[in-house]
Amino acid sequence: MANAGACDGRRSAAGMGVYELVRSEDAAGPALDLEAGRCGPPPTAKASPAAPRQQRLVSLDVFRGITVLLMIIVDDAGSFLPAMNHSPWEGVTIADFVMPFFLFIVGVALALAYKRVPDKLDATRKATLRALKLFCVGLVLQGGFFHGVRSLTFGVDITQIRLMGILQRIAIAYLVTALCQIWLKGDDDVDSGLDLIKRYRYQLLAGLLITITYMVLLYGTYVPDWEYRISGPGSTEKTFTVKCGVRGDSGPGCNAVGMIDRKILGIQHLYGRPVYARSQQCSIDSPQNGPLPPDAPSWCQAPFDPEGLLSSVMAIVTCLIGLQYGHIIVHFQKHRERIMHWLVPSFGMLVLAFAMDFFGMHMNKPLYTVSYTLCTAGTAGLLFAGIYTLVDLYGYRRPTIAMEWMGMHALMIFVLIACNILPIFIHGFYWGEPNNNLLKFIGIRA
């Protein structure tokens, strides 16, 4: 989900990147060239009239489109269908798969876009610039610049701007994963799964070190007592004290993820509507928002960013996992080999995820725990393998044409729909008073 660069073998974008030519040879009939971009051959190469027509790797577009559609559905249906809303804390719902799916797709795209890197320094510079652009777009869209669909005002106090968000997290994962793909890969020949591990062992080691660092910080960091303030009636401020003094707590109030964000980013720069406000401890209408129970904990109204710093560390791991799935496309030509090399690790990650959850390391999206990472990445791998089988192997294109289009325009849809830019734009044109707008005329109450 980012900008596309010039038409060369080094360009890429977060989730909407351009992919190198990939050849598959065991389909019936002539071999297909699966390409995600629309770029032709390099200037030095002459296109042969008899050469097979270059195509996009359609399954990746379809997967991205399905994820975009899922994002739209959960945004609209989550308010009245708990299963379509994010889990208030531990556990996963359908909505909790959206972000990891996007990150997984980014990783796959990067493996194809950076298949060959003639100039590593130039590729690093371009990847860094693209990540910065995506991060800045995220600041504008999710930092509080726009005041809502019904409010025809805009602007944000820099001292209160939300620093992290969905696009910011994707930008961070994109940059780290791109750097790993540019700098941390060997030259070994790949004829088997073990050869693939050997060639990309340094990337796998980087993912392991990131995971270990996350676990050490999450379970080893001491979280002291802390305070926060919220505005009350009549512009008065109320101060709340959260009693902690613990290590390794994974609850909403005393976890290391929130503490690190408060210390580094500042509590005034965090998301002000925490997901745990819908938990049983904080809402009498749980799992929906509602009035506070009489015995509600003091942390129920405290800001907490679901896309914070430490949780974004594990988001990088999801992207790195997707990167390895993309390597399978690059190095294995037969469909059967690709699918088997996707299915085995996917099932393995799911088994490990549920085992960790059973033994107390629960799946938790706000903390982006290791079990949550493995569960969502394993599910993404299975779904991608299934879509690839249907679309790229058996050629079921027509039923998925809408998803393919959405996948090719994912960033545009995210900005216009998920970030409410289109509804805000429509609300900006009215007659007489703001309530008299086009949405009201066609019977939509926004």
Side-chain angles (χ1 to χ4, degrees), residues 92-325:
V92 292
T93 65
I94 295 175
D96 295 324
F97 286 90
V98 174
M99 169 62 80
F101 282 2
F102 275 126
L103 293 166
F104 180 91
I105 292 167
V106 170
V108 176
L110 284 172
L112 304 176
Y114 289 102
K115 178 183 175 183
R116 290 183 294 271
V117 186
D119 188 338
K120 293 184 177 182
L121 289 177
D122 184 59
T124 300
R125 179 184 63 84
K126 290 181 178 179
T128 303
L129 288 176
R130 291 184 187 116
L132 286 174
K133 292 176 184 178
L134 190 63
F135 194 96
C136 291
V137 171
L139 280 178
V140 173
L141 294 177
Q142 296 188 294
F145 184 81
F146 297 100
H147 297 173
V149 175
R150 296 181 180 87
S151 175
L152 300 181
T153 61
F154 60 89
V156 61
D157 183 354
I158 296 299
T159 64
Q160 304 289 326
I161 189 173
R162 183 189 175 196
L163 296 177
M164 296 296 290
I166 294 173
L167 294 183
Q168 294 93 310
R169 169 174 281 180
I170 293 177
I172 292 171
Y174 165 81
L175 178 60
V176 175
T177 305
L179 293 178
C180 286
Q181 178 66 3
I182 293 168
W183 295 97
L184 300 181
K185 59 180 179 181
D187 297 323
D188 310 76
D189 293 331
V190 176
D191 296 314
S192 67
L194 291 177
D195 291 337
L196 193 70
I197 293 175
K198 184 178 180 181
R199 181 182 176 96
Y200 297 104
R201 58 190 179 275
Y202 295 116
Q203 295 180 6
L204 298 173
L205 179 61
L208 180 61
L209 291 176
I210 290 172
T211 302
I212 293 173
T213 301
Y214 166 85
M215 294 184 70
V216 169
L217 291 173
L218 180 65
Y219 296 110
T221 303
Y222 177 78
V223 180
D225 299 345
W226 56 283
E227 294 182 346
Y228 70 97
R229 297 181 180 87
I230 61 172
S231 298
S235 299
T236 60
E237 284 192 343
K238 296 179 64 177
T239 300
F240 294 86
T241 300
V242 182
K243 297 291 184 180
C244 293
V246 295
R247 295 181 191 273
D249 189 273
S250 59
C254 298
N255 60 78
V257 172
M259 189 209 71
I260 290 174
D261 287 341
R262 292 191 296 271
K263 293 292 185 181
I264 298 178
L265 301 178
I267 196 169
Q268 72 277 14
H269 295 294
L270 304 184
Y271 188 58
R273 298 188 295 276
V275 67
Y276 51 67
R278 296 186 288 105
S279 66
Q280 291 183 353
Q281 294 167 289
C282 299
S283 172
I284 62 175
D285 296 328
S286 180
Q288 306 296 348
N289 287 304
L292 289 169
D295 57 345
S298 57
W299 44 259
C300 278
Q301 301 175 82
F304 180 89
D305 209 309
E307 283 84 37
L309 294 174
L310 185 56
S311 56
S312 292
V313 167
M314 287 306 295
I316 296 171
V317 175
T318 299
C319 203
L320 285 171
I321 293 172
L323 184 69
Q324 308 314 310
Y325 279 66

Side-chain angles (χ1 to χ4, degrees), residues 41-55:
T44 56
K46 294 183 178 180
S48 171
R53 183 174 180 267
Q54 295 176 353
Q55 301 176 5

